[in-house]
Amino acid sequence: MIAQTPEPTYYAVIFTSVRTEGDNGYAAASERMVELAKQQDGFLGVESAREELGIKVSYWRDLDSIKRWKKNAEHAAVREKGRSEWYKAFKTRIAKVERDYGFEK
């Protein structure tokens, strides 16, 4: 599903990852993090895709919203589990969205 974001400007957190073998609780934790993010002030939406390479893009009103999300205790605990169990590699990028256009039938 394509996230319905407001007119720019806003921010995107782009999380790209390569998983380890097996689920090991990953799917449930990932679903929980999306639900928790939706409750955070400044959260605008999320999009994700996973094959061999996973990409999750979350959209945020401003950099302060992103900082508060990063400091969320439950989110921090899940990030640690990701480092120790779920990911072979990952990269996080934060970008300012200045233009936004699309097409929908």
Side-chain angles (χ1 to χ4, degrees):
M1 174 99 30
I2 297 175
Q4 299 300 309
T5 49
E7 288 295 316
T9 61
Y10 54 88
Y11 288 83
V13 176
I14 306 154
F15 181 75
T16 308
S17 63
V18 178
R19 286 283 323 278
T20 56
E21 294 295 320
D23 181 77
N24 302 315
Y26 176 82
S30 179
E31 189 174 305
R32 170 66 183 146
M33 289 301 98
V34 170
E35 291 307 311
L36 186 60
K38 287 178 180 179
Q39 298 171 24
Q40 305 306 301
D41 182 45
F43 177 81
L44 301 174
V46 65
E47 299 164 340
S48 65
R50 175 157 293 286
E51 290 292 329
E52 186 174 329
L53 179 72
I55 299 174
K56 184 167 289 204
V57 183
S58 59
Y59 300 99
W60 300 85
R61 178 181 60 229
D62 51 36
L63 290 172
D64 287 337
S65 300
I66 295 168
K67 288 175 188 173
R68 284 191 303 275
W69 172 235
K70 186 174 183 183
K71 290 179 181 179
N72 178 286
E74 189 175 349
H75 180 220
V78 168
R79 283 197 322 270
E80 278 305 310
K81 193 160 185 178
R83 287 182 182 100
S84 66
E85 276 188 53
W86 294 324
Y87 300 119
K88 290 181 186 177
F90 70 85
K91 184 99 164 172
T92 301
R93 298 170 177 97
I94 299 174
K96 184 176 185 179
V97 177
E98 296 182 351
R99 244 177 113 200
D100 171 331
Y101 58 91
F103 171 79
E104 187 174 333
K105 284 188 178 183

